[in-house]
Amino acid sequence: MTSLHPQLQRDCLLLGRFPLCHLLLMRDANHPWFILAPERDGITELYQLEPADQQQLMRESCHLSKVLAQQFQAHKMSVAALGNLVPQLHIHHIVRYRHDAAWPAPVWGGGGGGQALFAGRAGGGDGTACRGAGGGG
């Protein structure tokens, strides 16, 4: 099992797993903010994944985005891979609303910092949020 970067461990709760990725919840009470982190060692960029893993990541990302948009009635889904501070490949999935405090600007880099969602540590999830994005193998 690939370990998560220490910053992801501090900033997120582990909710479960897709076939390729860890599903994380960012500790930010201002936005429904989820992260997919592929379980592959030494990968910092999407193009470094094997083609099958690239396709699986896209399936998982699209599935997560669709579910979040429906469940949270999003005005917009912000999906991005930045990696400026955390080199491990991870994809942010942030539910956005026209009335949120940062709209229309990005939610990161504003200097205000998000309010923490949880103070406790994640004990792992049962993966129920990850069902439906399986791949061909």
Side-chain angles (χ1 to χ4, degrees):
M1 175 187 241
T2 299
S3 61
L4 291 172
H5 187 277
Q7 189 68 45
L8 291 174
Q9 291 178 27
R10 282 189 297 273
D11 292 348
C12 302
L13 296 172
L14 177 62
L15 296 182
R17 292 226 353 109
F18 284 104
L20 177 65
C21 295
H22 298 282
L23 174 61
L24 308 171
L25 174 64
M26 186 74 159
R27 298 173 192 264
D28 184 320
N30 296 312
H31 304 85
W33 187 335
F34 297 80
I35 294 175
L36 290 178
E39 190 175 346
R40 296 293 183 263
D41 287 324
I43 300 295
T44 60
E45 303 292 342
L46 181 60
Y47 68 83
Q48 294 171 332
L49 290 169
E50 294 295 325
D53 284 346
Q54 292 173 10
Q55 293 171 0
Q56 183 61 31
L57 178 55
M58 184 59 67
R59 281 191 292 272
E60 293 175 11
S61 179
C62 288
H63 174 75
L64 179 60
S65 294
K66 180 179 179 181
V67 169
L68 293 175
Q70 291 172 345
Q71 293 298 312
F72 288 96
Q73 299 177 4
H75 293 146
K76 173 73 176 132
M77 288 298 305
S78 291
V79 179
L82 302 175
N84 299 2
L85 298 175
V86 176
Q88 180 179 10
L89 178 61
H90 61 288
I91 314 297
H92 297 264
H93 295 72
I94 307 164
V95 177
R96 297 298 308 274
Y97 302 102
R98 287 184 285 278
H99 60 271
D100 72 41
W103 186 269
V107 298
W108 46 74
Q115 178 182 358
L117 180 59
F118 299 106
R121 296 288 302 171
D126 66 2
T128 55
C130 302
R131 295 192 184 120

